[in-house]
Amino acid sequence: MAAGSSTDYIKHHLTNLVYGQHPDGTWGLAHSAQEAAEMGFWSFNVDSLGWSIALGALFLGLFSLAAKKATTGVPGGFQNFVEICVEFIDETVSDTFHGKNPMVAPLALTIFCWVFLMNFMDLIPVDFLPELFKLFGIHYMKVVPSTDPNVTLGMSFSVFFLIIFYSIKVKGIGGFSGELALHPFSAEYPVAQALLIPFNLFLEILNLVTKPISLGLRLFGNMYAGEMIFILIALLPFWIQWSLSVPWAIFHILVISLQAFIFMVLTVVYLDMAHETDH
Amino acid sequence: MNINATILGQAISFAIFVWFCVKFVWPPVITAMRERQDKIAGGLQDAEKAEKDVLIAQDKAEETLREAKQQAAELIEQANKRSSQLIEEAKGQAREEGERLKTAAKSEIEQEVNRAKEGLRTQVSVLAIAGAEKILQASIDENAHSKMLEQLAAEL
């Protein structure tokens, strides 16, 4: 493969299918990365959103099917699988989260399964789905939603919103802002304390804002790097690809589960910190 | 790879999915699991209790068996005693009966003997008279001598 065409190949694989407003005012799909960039904020990555919603719906569909048929008697094979997932999440959450909030465990389950499924798309051969969609005339198709920072940051900022919400709900506005302002540096004299407040605010707000950004970018970075390596392997001659893609795929099984797990655990830890009152 | 409204779409779908999971997926599964846990715990407890019950029942059965055996032994002993008693009784009765029969036979024999003696006596007296008649060739006054003859007969 010539150098130019491999650059095009990589670029093509990293371009989303974007729907938005063209400069001439009409709405439609972008036909190139540049066109997509010109659409500005009010455009949608149709492929990322579509795949992520489809996978989320798949997860919830299967699990709610099992939940509907859930029996206290001898569970069937699929119910067993669902129960293993639920049990695993329940244990992890009860180990990490010490407050009382019935929403946290299902939230963790949703994050874990959904992120896992989105990451799992990485294991489908890189050219398979894009070529399939090309047959239907769709020229850009990025199938791994978690390689799109919009998706990972969208989730991590939702988590951030929950952190703020529960911090205020549990500690009150006064308690929460006190935590931001009077920590980590505190002094006995009011004047010294007042002088320390800006430093504290700076550190704590930075600390707070770093959480969602690092949470989202960690997942994005890992999946993006993995996907990039798959794309690079796909540039090799077809008869040698398996020697690299198979080991990398096997290793990647570990990465995708680990990243899903990390995203879930960190969410639970952040929410636990938000529920902590004695600080 | 631009940040665009996808981030909002993802956040909204995230919120909807979490809401759905909280509402419809998590509670039934976790409830079923907890209930099964309780059920299994109850079952294990029942099994333990049943095991204890079986032990008690076994003890009871053994005791009953022992009692029955004892009773049977007692009954056999009693029966043995009774049977030997019966045998003894029967023996006694037989002996008595034998004794009675013997005495009856004896008295009958005596009677027979007496009767035969009587018969003989009468016949002897007749024979004696006839003999005497023949010897004397003369008629003897029966009346005069009958007393003497009777005396003779009685001496026989």
Side-chain angles (χ1 to χ4, degrees):
Chain A
M1 229 176 250
S5 66
S6 48
T7 314
D8 286 347
Y9 178 81
I10 294 170
K11 269 188 185 163
H12 183 265
H13 263 285
L14 295 179
T15 307
N16 282 109
L17 180 68
V18 185
Y19 180 86
Q21 198 176 21
H22 289 293
D24 61 5
T26 55
W27 286 78
L29 292 168
H31 297 292
S32 67
Q34 202 198 340
E35 240 178 72
E38 280 166 3
M39 283 174 172
F41 181 77
W42 287 107
S43 54
F44 297 92
N45 296 347
V46 182
D47 45 3
S48 297
L49 266 183
W51 284 112
S52 91
I53 290 171
L55 291 167
L58 175 75
F59 149 65
L60 284 175
L62 288 175
F63 271 54
S64 62
L65 203 69
K68 209 179 281 175
K69 284 197 221 148
T71 161
T72 55
V74 181
F78 185 63
Q79 196 190 334
N80 247 336
F81 167 74
V82 169
E83 281 185 10
I84 288 170
C85 296
V86 168
E87 177 108 59
F88 168 67
I89 301 294
D90 194 42
E91 254 172 43
T92 314
V93 169
S94 59
D95 281 349
T96 322
F97 185 77
H98 305 292
K100 263 195 187 141
N101 191 341
M103 199 213 67
V104 172
L107 169 77
L109 178 72
T110 312
I111 288 176
F112 181 71
C113 294
W114 195 18
V115 171
F116 177 81
L117 284 174
M118 289 197 283
N119 292 353
F120 186 83
M121 297 303 286
D122 218 356
L123 293 180
I124 296 172
V126 276
D127 276 322
F128 185 68
L129 286 169
E131 291 299 320
L132 191 71
F133 276 88
K134 211 176 259 180
L135 293 180
F136 295 100
I138 296 168
H139 288 282
Y140 293 105
M141 180 53 57
K142 214 173 148 200
V143 294
V144 192
S146 46
T147 56
D148 184 345
N150 286 304
V151 167
T152 59
L153 289 174
M155 289 177 81
S156 65
F157 273 99
S158 305
V159 171
F160 179 65
F161 168 76
L162 286 175
I163 295 171
I164 304 281
F165 176 77
Y166 281 112
S167 292
I168 291 172
K169 195 185 167 195
V170 173
K171 299 161 190 164
I173 291 180
F176 182 47
S177 44
E179 197 179 89
L180 290 179
L182 307 175
H183 190 82
F185 301 114
S186 57
E188 281 178 42
Y189 304 105
V191 181
Q193 181 66 71
L195 281 174
L196 286 172
I197 282 177
F199 288 106
N200 286 342
L201 272 179
F202 174 73
L203 283 173
E204 284 295 306
I205 287 174
L206 192 66
N207 181 24
L208 197 66
V209 174
T210 321
K211 283 174 184 173
I213 293 173
S214 67
L215 188 64
L217 287 184
R218 179 185 300 106
L219 178 61
F220 160 71
N222 273 284
M223 298 325 294
Y224 187 77
E227 174 79 345
M228 184 64 100
I229 288 173
F230 276 121
I231 293 169
L232 291 176
I233 290 170
L235 286 171
L236 293 170
F238 74 92
W239 46 267
I240 198 72
Q241 283 180 14
W242 65 270
S243 66
L244 287 172
S245 64
V246 169
W248 181 243
I250 292 170
F251 176 65
H252 215 58
I253 293 173
L254 182 71
V255 174
I256 63 173
S257 350
L258 195 65
Q259 287 307 319
F261 182 70
I262 289 172
F263 199 102
M264 176 202 83
V265 168
L266 283 178
T267 303
V268 175
V269 168
Y270 291 158
L271 284 176
D272 181 48
M273 283 156 78
H275 282 75
E276 232 166 39
T277 41
D278 47 356
H279 209 30
Chain B
M1 255 202 313
N2 316 298
I3 295 294
N4 56 24
T6 309
I7 198 167
L8 296 179
Q10 179 70 10
I12 291 166
S13 37
F14 182 57
I16 292 170
F17 286 156
V18 169
W19 170 79
F20 187 89
C21 188
V22 170
K23 197 91 182 162
F24 299 112
V25 175
W26 188 266
V29 176
I30 204 84
T31 313
M33 282 165 68
R34 299 256 188 279
E35 267 172 27
R36 185 173 324 111
Q37 232 167 22
D38 289 349
K39 238 179 170 175
I40 291 171
L44 285 175
Q45 222 166 19
D46 284 355
E48 217 167 284
K49 203 176 147 247
E51 219 169 310
K52 262 182 212 161
D53 284 355
V54 165
L55 279 181
I56 291 170
Q58 258 175 359
D59 279 357
K60 218 175 180 178
E62 247 167 58
E63 204 181 325
T64 312
L65 200 67
R66 210 171 30 239
E67 259 172 38
K69 268 184 187 165
Q70 206 178 326
Q71 268 180 354
E74 261 169 40
L75 278 176
I76 288 169
E77 207 181 328
Q78 265 180 0
N80 276 339
K81 230 186 253 173
R82 179 95 187 107
S83 74
S84 55
Q85 201 183 344
L86 276 176
I87 287 168
E88 284 306 310
E89 259 174 39
K91 268 185 189 164
Q93 268 180 354
R95 211 174 286 131
E96 246 170 60
E97 183 71 12
E99 211 63 37
R100 199 177 56 79
L101 281 174
K102 227 162 52 182
T103 46
K106 256 185 196 163
S107 63
E108 211 168 311
I109 289 165
E110 244 167 64
Q111 261 176 359
E112 282 298 316
V113 168
N114 284 346
R115 203 174 300 136
K117 273 182 184 167
E118 202 69 32
L120 274 173
R121 240 175 246 144
T122 42
Q123 275 181 353
V124 164
S125 61
V126 171
L127 276 172
I129 290 169
E133 263 176 5
K134 275 189 183 145
I135 294 159
L136 293 173
Q137 293 284 340
S139 72
I140 298 160
D141 187 13
E142 256 178 76
N143 293 330
H145 301 292
S146 64
K147 203 165 185 182
M148 196 180 71
L149 284 169
E150 260 170 36
Q151 228 168 348
L152 191 75
E155 272 168 29
L156 282 167

